[in-house]
Amino acid sequence: MTEMTDVTEHDKTVEVHDYDVVVIGAGGAGLRAAIEARAQGKRTAIISKSLFGKAHTVMAEGGCAAAMGNANPNDNWRVHFGDTMRGGKFLNNWRMAELHAKEAPQRVWEMETYGALFDRTKDGKISQRNFGGHTYPRLAHVGDRTGLELIRTLQQKIVSLQQEDFKATGDYEANIRVFHETTITDLFKADGAIAGCFGYFRSTGTFVRFNAPAIVLATGGVGKSYSVTSNSWEYTGDGHALALRAGATLINMEFLQFHPTGMVWPPSVKGILVTESVRGDGGVLRNSDGKRFMFDYIADVFKDLYATTEEEADRWYTDADNNRRPPELLPRDEVARAINSEVKAGRGTPHGGVYLDVSTRLKPEEILKRLPSMHHQFKELADVDITKEPMEVGPTCHYVMGGVEVDPDTGMSRVPGLFAAGECSGGMHGSNRLGGNSLSDLLVFGRRCGAGASEYVDGLAGRRPAVVETDAAAAVDRALLPFTTAAEGGENPFVVHLELQKTMHELVGIIRKADEMEMALKKLEDIATRTRTVAVQGDRKFNPNWHLALDLRNMLLVSMCVAKAALERQESRGGHTRDDFPVMDADWRHVLLVLSALGEDNVEMVRKEQIPMRPDLLDIFEMDELKKYFTGEELGGHRADQGERA
Amino acid sequence: MSYWAHFRVWRGDSDKGELVDYPAEVNEGEVVLDIIHRLQQTEAQDLAVRWNCKAGKCGSCSMEINGRPRLACMTRMNTFAEDEVVTVTPLRTFPVIRDLVTDVSFNYTKAREIPSFAPPEGVEPGEYRMQQVDVERSQEFRKCIECYLCQNTCHVVRDHEENKEAFAGPRYLMRIAELDMHPLDSADRQQAAQEEHGLGYCNITKCCTEVCPEHIKITDNALIPLKERVVDRKYDPVVWLGNKLFRRGEAANKNR
């Protein structure tokens, strides 16, 4: 079963399909994009790296942020916009943050028409919960399994569209088809525009090509480049790397979100997510001395917004209008750094985390009702009963703020016909994403990309770029390379992967230093050589080491982007903390680091200025707050400088 | 803390296969999936297995461990004695693709045969109003992670290929119950459950409930109530007459 196969024997047959829009990725963003493209009358293919319905979106626990005002009528899109910009330290693409805040409620309500069943308020509306960085209770949720509800609802909506097509044509897959367990390894362009893509079916190892003028990337994140991550095997930065190799650009890649609360024990589950809802519902963080340490870590920019005593913090849960929120609910970057500092100072738990305790805060039956899957997770995996004892938690690589640079309104990258939505797109979250803003992001921009792709296809008026056959042949050879190398005695891809993860974890982790990142970039060069020559055992049928060998080149390219941008940005902001430049610097706020590919495994970077924020959006904030983030000359357009314009 | 366990893993494809013995290192706190990953990284690099979240939330790593349908990511090694042979085989009810990976397309086919949520007419997005107590029944079923362990275990199809055509299986009969109990769904589903999706094949042995990793009471809370609704309808002469006279009577009947 494991004998080497001579590459000359390989079947190079390629199955070919024609579609209007191909969506790569079957998580929330991909499915919402596909629903929209199909609604616009486009024949749509959905490429799912795993089985349909297993995407990483299921891991989202807390909820979906949308200013519906069901729990607090003071909430509206302006407040949500403000929280999002504040959370991202004002580095966000403000147009994306604006669209997101305005459209999220519609997108959530739409999910109910697809059959979603959110938890309810007393008057029968969608219930909304508190979360870090959100001024009001804002997250639509279903216990602590909101992501599962979203993915299942979107999956079932696709099925319902297929049923409609079946009634009309006798074919379920007439207009929308899901290609299960299919991985895309290359995009094709012709005359500078998207022409199609190429990949393989996992179950058979045979090849497939899609001729399509529009492609939506919705491949999620890059966490698998790190040793401790909440991300699954699929999160190998495929969309990021495909975009780069097709000539698109990435921004904000230096900003990675380390979720403050991942499991730390037992070792085999290290990194698995512990939802922020635990804190939103009253859970507190304590160090080994039993101290609620977050009060010591309220940064200047947040001083007026968070409680300074335990008494005030505790009152907030019942009277949010007259008290400030507990500092456990600071944005994720702040909490992750605080935990990191406590552990470094020797006040950590036996397994190197801190205590997250909800058992002394809520009654057992309340915990079981609000946090059932956390209870289940700790009981089954760590023998810990969270209704009776505290959890041990620590930071875990969770989300990449960086991604494909896109037009905010349509989601199109700088490559005509190439779109990106959800985690693999960049800009929306700036330097740090607020919890709950991911599920809403993928609904809002998934839909916008589906619409953008459809409009683009209409604009072509039938003149579709044709895939160049030599490009198609090259894609086949690249995919088979790990088998060719096998004959020459290359390395085990698992070994190279572990080395890559270790490098990124240790040298480009939560706290960064110039010399360490320089060392990381050197190591990545070496890993690049080894990645080109990894060799695989066995044949092409559902062969995990072949899959990893191909994913590895994506992880490598993305890691280079992260390391290069992180070394360049000489300040600390959001998901980027420099030991050697510990302070946020307003001169860096308006600078974007834009990355593009140089061949298969190198990248180049240029600086680009952010577009200045529209004055009416600037006016949402008080001048005093803006001054903490912006340089003086950037604030000329604010109402305070114009005598409070009418 | 660590010890060497004796693993016996089924290797092969749809044509042929065999159980292969592997010695495997086990560390504190590990689950069966960890050991399978260690085998992949060492002596069985091409060992095929499905997995995603590794936290019991996605339902990908379903397999049979010492003959019991389980999620490999939620089966802790300390549930076995150190000298016990741990035998890992693919789900029996579905055709093998390779090693521990099976062709589960049966489930996707069945999913597509269940009519989808039918939104209430004239209720705009944002105007849906439901009470928590009313959504909770369906919410229990929406906890389903589609691991297909119930589908794999159900004796109606486990050793009876011939029943697959007529029987949707516990997961999809539960989906019908979920929609039937949805406070705002406007379709009638009870008759079809019996006549088109094989509810009658279920003889409530509760095997599905027993293997559910989400602890959903599939039989007690979904299948039995659905059976009762079907029976009520069939034998209630008033309902029967009402249905004959007014087609809309069906929707009114559904949420009793």
Side-chain angles (χ1 to χ4, degrees), chain B residues 122-167:
Chain B
V123 186
E124 292 300 310
E127 290 178 0
Y128 282 44
R129 295 290 178 274
M130 295 175 261
Q131 290 304 309
Q132 182 63 31
V133 63
D134 294 326
V135 299
E136 263 166 18
R137 287 187 299 180
S138 295
Q139 279 183 333
E140 181 191 2
F141 310 141
R142 291 184 73 81
K143 272 165 45 185
C144 171
I145 56 174
E146 299 199 335
C147 63
Y148 310 129
L149 289 178
C150 60
Q151 302 283 88
N152 171 63
T153 304
C154 180
H155 63 90
V156 175
V157 284
R158 187 167 169 92
D159 290 312
H160 295 278
E161 195 63 31
E162 70 280 8
N163 288 342
K164 281 187 176 173
E165 180 74 32
F167 185 62

Side-chain angles (χ1 to χ4, degrees), chain A residues 42-310:
Chain A
K42 300 292 168 280
R43 276 194 80 236
T44 304
I46 299 169
I47 315 293
S48 181
K49 198 168 171 181
S50 292
L51 290 173
F52 187 32
K54 303 300 182 196
H56 211 59
T57 307
V58 303
M59 293 297 284
E61 291 160 351
C64 178
M68 296 182 284
N70 293 349
N72 189 322
N74 295 323
D75 203 10
N76 60 51
W77 76 263
R78 286 181 187 82
V79 186
H80 191 184
F81 170 80
D83 289 343
T84 301
M85 294 299 294
R86 210 169 276 133
K89 305 281 197 300
F90 286 85
L91 189 124
N92 320 49
N93 179 307
W94 48 264
R95 175 63 178 161
M96 290 174 95
E98 178 194 13
L99 291 169
H100 168 258
K102 281 182 173 165
E103 293 176 6
Q106 273 303 327
R107 297 287 82 76
V108 172
W109 288 326
E110 194 171 66
M111 294 296 286
E112 289 199 302
T113 71
Y114 299 171
L117 282 174
F118 294 104
D119 287 347
R120 318 307 296 183
T121 61
K122 284 203 171 61
D123 53 356
K125 295 179 182 172
I126 295 172
S127 166
Q128 299 189 265
R129 75 156 32 120
N130 279 307
F131 236 55
H134 293 280
T135 303
Y136 299 114
R138 189 177 283 146
L139 273 63
H141 58 94
V142 187
D144 54 3
R145 55 158 193 88
T146 315
L148 174 67
E149 184 67 16
L150 250 66
I151 201 85
R152 201 63 83 231
T153 301
L154 291 166
Q155 178 186 352
Q156 286 164 350
K157 176 63 182 176
I158 295 215
V159 166
S160 94
L161 293 171
Q162 290 181 324
Q163 289 170 345
E164 280 176 28
D165 290 340
F166 181 75
K167 267 192 196 131
T169 68
D171 177 8
Y172 282 111
E173 294 174 336
N175 293 315
I176 189 163
R177 179 170 168 189
V178 181
F179 292 81
H180 292 258
E181 299 193 308
T182 302
T183 303
I184 297 299
T185 57
D186 274 295
L187 303 182
F188 299 125
K189 284 197 303 185
D191 300 325
I194 284 295
C197 59
F198 170 91
Y200 61 88
F201 299 124
R202 301 175 80 78
S203 62
T204 55
T206 53
F207 295 128
V208 60
R209 178 174 120 195
F210 297 89
N211 298 325
I215 289 179
V216 178
L217 298 170
T219 54
V222 308
K224 271 295 155 189
S225 300
Y226 282 79
S227 313
V228 179
T229 176
S230 62
N231 295 174
S232 81
W233 69 270
E234 298 180 290
Y235 264 37
T236 52
D238 295 5
H240 291 78
L242 287 168
L244 281 173
R245 289 200 293 266
T249 44
L250 306 185
I251 55 168
N252 297 352
M253 289 305 289
E254 63 274 36
F255 300 112
L256 274 172
Q257 181 168 81
F258 289 84
H259 194 291
T261 60
M263 292 177 80
V264 296
W265 194 91
S268 78
V269 297
K270 195 164 181 171
I272 290 180
L273 190 65
V274 180
T275 177
E276 189 167 325
S277 319
V278 176
R279 283 170 285 136
D281 288 349
V284 293
L285 291 165
R286 290 200 182 95
N287 62 22
S288 57
D289 302 335
K291 184 178 178 195
R292 252 179 99 173
F293 59 83
M294 279 309 299
F295 291 98
D296 301 342
Y297 292 92
I298 306 173
D300 275 350
V301 291
F302 292 113
K303 274 238 156 76
D304 304 335
L305 303 170
Y306 287 82
T308 44
T309 63
E310 290 195 31

